[in-house]
């Protein structure tokens, strides 16, 4: 029996649905698939006017592109299309989950078809929600020109600004592993650093990561007694995953895909190939080094002694780090990737738990005359150390059959207790939670809230609009209000989706609240008035 094959109830092994588990299948899934395809097409069109186009791209000289990016009406229409398309994709994902019913029969095929259909328009988008993909081209150029991206930023390149990268990358060292730098150099070698062609090839690499997830997420889920279609719907079909990994072309897609494949192989007792695939994932982005201790536990076996566990931990680390050390020889990269683990980026994001709580502590402390900034820093540092403590606890305590679940929780702790959380960071651990069970209660509702929040955040935060364009309302505010209106529709007006976050229909809840208030009022009234009020309430409650 393997670490993944015990079929113990890791969290929720019921095949249930994301909303109403006992309800029959709600029609065929193709309706939601078509709706999502339309949303992705809207995003494609909207990206032309508000996505990130490199200064060196010939696209900016096309008449249609010029109109959509320089005319007020063009920017406004593009903003609404991009935002409404992303929210329509959100609704399609929710409806797909509802329409799959009890996840029987051909439900896995339906999820795969939906992922394919929704990804196709996003493959050809102008980069949206992030422009990190342009920095990849710059880092590929650094390697090609014999420079070390672990030591210098892309500002050392001639005409680097035309690549389209965020100026924040100008002096920053790369946080990526050697294998991704090899791939970036290969892309630049094929495209000559032409921005649009480079983006397309980086998307192909990201698509390979998505494909690995499509293949191995259902397999890993089935090892844990979890329905593979549901796990795939949760982790890969969700709009944040597709937008971040296809439209934005983040290299995290390849990192996650290799990690999921490696964990699956290790969970089925193919330990050496599993370690090598996880090592390949670390070579894309080093954060997945967190998975190695749990791979070592799987290798040690279900009844291993502590000396054997330590031996397998040492063997796992030795194989992985040995391969990575050898991988640093080409292009003289060395082990520069370790800085991304040892010297994390300073600062915080206000929507991370650590960042938000730190802000509140700082504000309260300052009001009391205390050193708020220092106390906030202490709190964030304490939360980072708490994450490390949780990783160690999960390494040393827990059932062998729950090794992948423990891995998922450790990964979640490190991300969620970090002071910096980018929207796509939650996608690092989501597949591992999905394959070991996400229940149809507060857990799935938390996912709905998180995905919606980051889709709305990305839609209004990452828009490329030239400052000279005159708009009656700035594009960021227009995107925010569009997303807010669509969210209100999903929560209150849509008869299908409004039940996902709120038990019962909102209007029914309002009616019940009104009747309760009237009943309380009647109880406080004396004599005939009280009787009349009580009778009226009784009439309303009578069918």
């Amino acid at each position: 029996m393997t670490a993944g094959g015990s079929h113990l109830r890791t969290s929720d092994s019921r095949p249930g649905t994301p909303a109403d588990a006992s309800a029959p299948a709600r029609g065929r899934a193709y309706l939601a698939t078509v709706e999502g395809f339309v949303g992705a097409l809207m995003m494609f069109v909207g990206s032309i006017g508000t996505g990130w186009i490199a200064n060196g791209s010939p696209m900016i000289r096309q008449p249609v592109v010029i109109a959509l990016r320089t005319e007020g009406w063009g920017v406004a229409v593009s903003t609404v299309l991009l935002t409404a398309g992303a929210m329509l994709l959100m609704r399609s994902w929710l409806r797909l989950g509802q329409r799959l019913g009890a996840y029987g029969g051909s439900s896995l095929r339906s999820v795969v078809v939906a992922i394919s259909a929704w990804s196709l328009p996003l493959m050809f988008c102008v980069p949206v929600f992030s422009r990190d993909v342009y920095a990849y081209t710059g880092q590929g150029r650094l390697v090609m020109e014999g420079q070390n991206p672990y030591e210098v930023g892309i500002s050392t390149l001639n005409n680097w600004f035309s690549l389209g990268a965020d100026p924040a990358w100008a002096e920053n060292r790369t946080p990526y592993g050697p294998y991704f730098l090899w791939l970036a150099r290969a892309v630049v070698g094929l495209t000559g650093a032409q921005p649009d062609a480079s983006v397309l090839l980086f998307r192909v690499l990201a698509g390979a990561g998505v494909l690995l997830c499509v293949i191995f997420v259902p397999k890993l889920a089935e090892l844990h007694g979890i329905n593979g279609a549901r796990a795939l719907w949760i982790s890969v079909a969700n709009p944040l995953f597709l937008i971040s990994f296809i439209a934005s072309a983040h290299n995290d897609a390849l990192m996650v895909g290799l990690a999921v494949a490696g964990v699956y192989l290790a969970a089925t007792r193919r330990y050496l190939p599993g370690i090598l695939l996880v090592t390949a994932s670390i070579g894309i982005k080093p954060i997945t080094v967190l998975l190695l201790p749990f791979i070592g536990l799987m290798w040690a076996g279900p009844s291993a002694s502590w000396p054997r566990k330590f031996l397998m931990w040492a063997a796992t680390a030795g194989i992985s780090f040995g391969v990575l050390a050898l991988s640093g020889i080409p292009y003289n990269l060395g082990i520069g990737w370790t800085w991304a683990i040892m010297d994390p980026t300073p600062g915080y994001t206000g929507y991370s738990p650590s960042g938000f709580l730190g802000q509140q502590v700082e504000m309260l402390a300052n009001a009391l005359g205390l050193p708020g900034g220092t106390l906030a820093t202490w709190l964030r540092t304490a939360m980072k150390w708490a994450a490390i403590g949780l990783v160690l606890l999960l390494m040393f305590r827990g059932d062998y059959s729950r090794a992948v679940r423990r891995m998922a929780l450790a990964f979640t702790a490190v991300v969620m207790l970090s002071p910096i959380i980018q929207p796509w960071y939650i996608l690092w651990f989501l597949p591992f939670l999905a394959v070991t069970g996400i229940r149809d209660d507060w857990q799935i509702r938390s996912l709905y809230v998180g995905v919606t929040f980051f889709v709305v955040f990305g839609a209004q935060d990452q828009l490329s609009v030239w400052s000279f364009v005159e708009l009656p309302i700035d594009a960021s505010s227009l995107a925010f209000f569009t997303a807010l209106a669509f969210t209100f529709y999903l929560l209150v007006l849509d008869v299908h989706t409004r039940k996902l976050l709120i038990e019962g229909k909102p209007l029914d809840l309002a009616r019940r609240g009104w009747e309760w208030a009237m009943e309380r009022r009647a109880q406080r009234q004396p004599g005939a008035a009280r009787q009349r009020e009580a009778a009226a309430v009784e009439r309303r409650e009578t069918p």
Side-chain angles (χ1 to χ4, degrees):
M1 193 68 69
T2 69
S6 67
H7 292 276
L8 293 179
R9 279 18 177 187
T10 317
S11 177
D12 178 16
S13 60
R14 296 172 301 159
T17 65
D20 32 4
S22 61
R26 297 170 177 266
R28 289 177 291 180
Y30 80 89
L31 293 175
T33 301
V34 171
E35 181 184 59
F37 180 74
V38 172
L41 278 177
M42 291 169 62
M43 291 192 68
F44 165 73
V45 177
S47 73
I48 298 173
T50 56
W52 295 99
I53 298 180
N55 294 333
S57 170
M59 284 183 62
I60 59 175
R61 296 189 291 273
Q62 299 300 317
V64 173
V65 176
I66 291 173
L68 290 176
R69 299 184 76 87
T70 62
E71 301 289 342
W73 67 266
V75 172
V77 169
S78 298
T79 301
V80 171
L81 282 174
L82 179 69
T83 308
M87 296 306 295
L88 185 59
L89 195 58
M90 181 77 195
R91 183 184 188 276
S92 305
W93 175 59
L94 298 174
R95 291 295 291 138
L96 177 65
Q98 290 176 320
R99 288 182 179 278
L100 289 175
Y103 287 90
S106 61
S107 57
L108 179 58
R109 179 180 179 276
S110 297
V111 177
V112 172
V113 168
I115 292 170
S116 303
W118 300 347
S119 299
L120 184 60
L122 300 180
M123 280 291 293
F124 301 99
C125 276
V126 174
V128 293
F129 286 41
S130 170
R131 51 173 162 165
D132 285 358
V133 65
Y134 292 119
Y136 303 163
T137 304
Q139 289 154 7
R141 276 187 58 189
L142 285 175
V143 178
M144 178 166 281
E145 295 181 12
Q147 301 188 65
N148 191 334
Y150 297 127
E151 297 176 355
V152 298
I154 61 175
S155 63
T156 61
L157 297 170
N158 292 328
N159 203 26
W160 70 270
F161 196 70
S162 67
L163 297 175
D166 190 321
W169 284 100
E171 304 296 332
N172 283 0
R173 298 175 292 168
T174 182
Y176 308 133
Y179 300 149
F180 183 72
L181 295 179
W182 293 6
L183 293 172
R185 184 190 185 282
V187 167
V188 170
L190 290 172
T191 65
Q194 201 282 333
D196 302 325
S198 298
V199 167
L200 185 59
L201 284 186
F202 281 120
R203 278 216 179 100
V204 171
L205 293 175
V210 173
L211 180 60
L212 286 171
C213 289
V214 169
I215 293 171
F216 288 102
V217 162
K219 292 177 180 291
L220 191 55
E222 295 293 344
L223 289 180
H224 292 85
I226 302 299
N227 186 282
R230 183 175 192 268
L232 191 64
W233 170 78
I234 286 174
S235 58
V236 179
N238 84 71
L240 183 62
F241 190 100
L242 296 179
I243 293 171
S244 298
F245 288 172
I246 300 295
S248 299
H250 280 295
N251 58 5
D252 306 63
L254 191 55
M255 175 196 79
V256 173
L258 289 167
V260 171
V263 170
Y264 171 75
L265 292 181
T268 51
R269 296 183 177 179
R270 288 169 282 183
Y271 303 114
L272 183 57
I275 292 170
L276 293 177
L277 279 176
V278 172
T279 300
S281 174
I282 298 169
I284 300 298
K285 209 166 184 178
I287 186 64
T288 48
V289 71
L290 286 168
L291 308 185
L292 290 179
F294 300 94
I295 301 290
L297 285 175
M298 296 181 204
W299 195 0
S303 54
S305 62
W306 281 111
R308 177 171 172 78
K309 288 180 182 179
F310 278 99
L311 178 63
M312 292 301 100
W313 278 333
T316 301
I319 293 170
S320 181
F321 294 156
V323 170
L324 287 168
L326 292 174
S327 302
I329 295 175
Y331 312 120
N332 297 314
L333 295 174
I335 57 171
W337 57 272
T338 56
W339 85 266
I341 299 174
M342 306 303 295
D343 185 23
T345 305
Y348 65 90
T349 50
Y351 51 76
S352 69
S354 172
F356 177 78
L357 290 175
Q359 287 178 324
Q360 307 314 305
V361 167
E362 182 174 4
M363 183 173 60
L364 180 60
N366 287 338
L368 297 174
L370 300 173
T374 301
L375 292 176
T377 300
W378 287 354
L379 174 63
R380 296 185 188 107
T381 302
M383 292 180 74
K384 285 195 291 186
W385 281 105
I388 295 173
L390 286 171
V391 172
L392 293 173
L393 178 64
L394 290 162
M395 282 174 55
F396 285 92
R397 298 291 300 273
D399 294 337
Y400 172 81
S401 62
R402 293 174 177 256
V404 178
R405 183 67 172 186
R406 290 155 62 189
M407 172 195 296
L409 295 175
F411 211 167
T412 303
V414 169
V415 173
M416 296 305 295
L417 294 180
S418 170
I420 295 180
I421 299 179
Q422 298 293 355
W424 55 93
Y425 286 10
I426 68 171
L427 304 173
W428 296 350
F429 58 80
L430 182 58
F432 298 107
L433 288 179
V435 300
T436 54
I438 292 180
R439 296 194 304 268
D440 295 328
D441 51 19
W442 65 269
Q443 293 184 359
I444 196 68
R445 291 189 178 92
S446 298
L447 177 63
Y448 295 151
V449 172
V451 170
T452 303
F453 171 79
F454 282 123
V455 169
V456 172
F457 176 82
Q460 57 85 35
D461 180 64
Q462 290 284 337
L463 295 173
S464 175
V465 179
W466 284 318
S467 58
F468 63 80
V469 178
E470 295 184 3
L471 294 168
I473 177 174
D474 67 275
S476 180
S477 298
L478 179 59
F480 175 73
F481 288 121
T482 301
L484 195 64
F486 208 116
T487 303
F488 177 80
Y489 168 76
L490 293 176
L491 285 175
V492 178
L493 301 180
D494 192 313
V495 296
H496 300 295
T497 61
R498 66 188 184 186
K499 67 185 70 173
L500 293 176
L501 286 176
I502 303 174
E503 293 284 359
K505 299 177 181 179
L507 296 180
D508 288 344
L509 292 176
R511 176 180 60 82
R512 292 171 189 167
W514 170 259
E515 290 177 354
W516 177 85
M518 295 302 294
E519 197 172 327
R520 295 287 296 175
R521 179 185 174 192
Q523 291 173 357
R524 291 194 299 269
Q525 290 179 347
R530 174 176 174 177
Q531 293 175 3
R532 287 195 300 270
E533 192 69 21
V537 171
E538 183 179 356
R539 285 195 299 273
R540 284 195 295 271
E541 292 179 345
T542 302

